[in-house]
Structures are given as structure tokens and as C-alpha cells.
Amino acid sequence: MLDLPYTQLFITRPQVQNAALKVKLEEAFLKSHIHIPVIDFPLLKIIPTKEHPLARNLSDSLQKSSWVHVVSPNALIVSDQLLKSFHFDWPKHLSFALIGAGTEQTLKSLQIPFEQIVQPFNEDHWDSEGLWEALQMTGIDWNGIQITWIAGDGGRTFLQEHLDQAGAKISERSEEQTSELQSH
């Protein structure tokens, strides 16, 4: 048994992510003989907005796009819930540009169809720069390619600026448009 200075571990992601993370941490701790209680303590609750015009706009944008960039598992979850609320389906022709394994896992667990997934090659560079490098390796001429961009307000603009400079047409769908964040 390891003697650690911690007596408990609080995980504070939204509830959907907390449940899976808690199980993984408890399994890893058990294998490593670490005895620290994992406390499920979500600080945010994500409530999908249920507005038909917003769902219609997202669905229309996805139909016109070849690619989707989703910045987080939460953005993907709320977008999926919004579409499902009004019986819209994800098109089957989409390719996804993702930064992390969590978003890829969420995409697959929600059973969202996709043509391909592109994400950074190196886990040390699971960021916009790493994704841009991976997208460049595809050899795609981005000029005129329609991309639906699902992200929160603000944040980094590196990838968006580079795709814009490469001629891509980006249609933004804010995570805040599709959900409300409530702090506890």
C-alpha cells in the first residue's frame, strides 16, 4: 500500500463524464493498491437547449458540411441531444476533426456515424497545433471545404485561423447556443 498525502479525490467534471471517470480511477487505484476514496462532485451541469430553430440550423449546417470539428466531449453530447430532441439525425457522410481521445470515445459511444476521424498523432500534442499537423498530413485541399465548428464561446482560435487561411468555409455552432452551463 502506498502512503499518499491525499485522503480523498474529488472529480468535478459534468455528471456524464464523472461517472465513467470514477469507475476508471477506482479500477486503476485498486490495481495499484491505492486506497483513496473517489468522490463524485460535479461542479457543472450541462442542460441542452431545446429550441427547434437551433436544432434545424445545426442539422442544416451538418448536411452541407464535409467536416465537423468538435472541441470537447460536452460539445458533442449537447449537440447530439439537441438533434435527437427534434428527431434530426447526424449525416453519415461527415468526417470529424477531434483533439482528444475523450471526444473520439464520446463520438463512438453515442453511435454517431462518421466517414473518418482525424486527430493529433502524438498524445503530447493533443491540441490545436497537433490537430492542424494531422489535418495537413491528409493532403486535403481545404479550399471551399465546408466545416461545422462546434465549440464554446472564446477559447483558442489557432485551428480556425489556419483552416480559414487554407480556404475552408467554417460554420460556427456555439456550445453555449446548444446548452446552458449551471454551476453548483
Side-chain angles (χ1 to χ4, degrees):
M1 180 170 125
L2 296 174
D3 187 26
L4 298 173
Y6 313 107
T7 58
Q8 350 181 345
L9 175 66
F10 288 86
I11 51 176
T12 61
R13 302 295 301 159
Q15 187 59 48
V16 172
Q17 293 172 341
N18 258 10
L21 180 58
K22 182 178 182 189
V23 168
K24 285 182 182 180
L25 286 170
E26 288 173 336
E27 289 173 355
F29 287 173
L30 186 62
K31 286 180 184 175
S32 301
H33 305 288
I34 297 173
H35 301 285
I36 298 176
V38 179
I39 311 299
D40 185 9
F41 192 69
L43 293 179
L44 294 174
K45 184 174 185 178
I46 299 173
I47 303 169
T49 300
K50 293 187 178 178
E51 296 179 14
H52 190 270
L54 186 58
R56 164 62 66 198
N57 287 342
L58 177 58
S59 179
D60 290 348
S61 180
L62 292 170
Q63 293 295 335
K64 296 174 188 172
S65 294
S66 302
W67 284 82
V68 177
H69 173 62
V70 184
V71 299
S72 70
N74 290 330
L76 187 58
I77 290 166
V78 296
S79 297
D80 184 59
Q81 290 174 344
L82 175 65
L83 291 171
K84 286 180 178 172
S85 293
F86 296 99
H87 307 288
F88 291 111
D89 294 321
W90 288 86
K92 293 178 173 59
H93 70 272
L94 295 170
S95 294
F96 283 81
L98 308 174
I99 290 177
T103 309
E104 178 184 12
Q105 182 179 11
T106 301
L107 179 76
K108 291 178 179 179
S109 71
L110 293 172
Q111 298 180 347
I112 295 172
F114 58 88
E115 284 289 319
Q116 67 176 320
I117 295 173
V118 175
Q119 55 191 349
F121 303 116
N122 184 340
E123 289 182 19
D124 293 335
H125 294 284
W126 283 55
D127 54 20
S128 296
E129 289 86 350
L131 181 54
W132 175 239
E133 181 182 323
L135 289 170
Q136 287 180 300
M137 299 294 259
T138 64
I140 293 172
D141 176 5
W142 293 99
N143 191 38
I145 299 287
Q146 185 70 39
I147 302 171
T148 296
W149 195 275
I150 301 174
D153 286 339
R156 299 185 64 219
T157 59
F158 175 89
L159 184 61
Q160 191 170 8
E161 289 170 0
H162 281 71
L163 285 165
D164 199 35
Q165 289 171 1
K169 296 180 180 180
I170 299 172
S171 173
E172 290 188 68
R173 297 292 170 238
S174 169
E175 185 176 347
E176 278 74 28
Q177 291 176 327
T178 57
S179 67
E180 295 177 28
L181 297 177
Q182 295 183 347
S183 297
H184 290 240

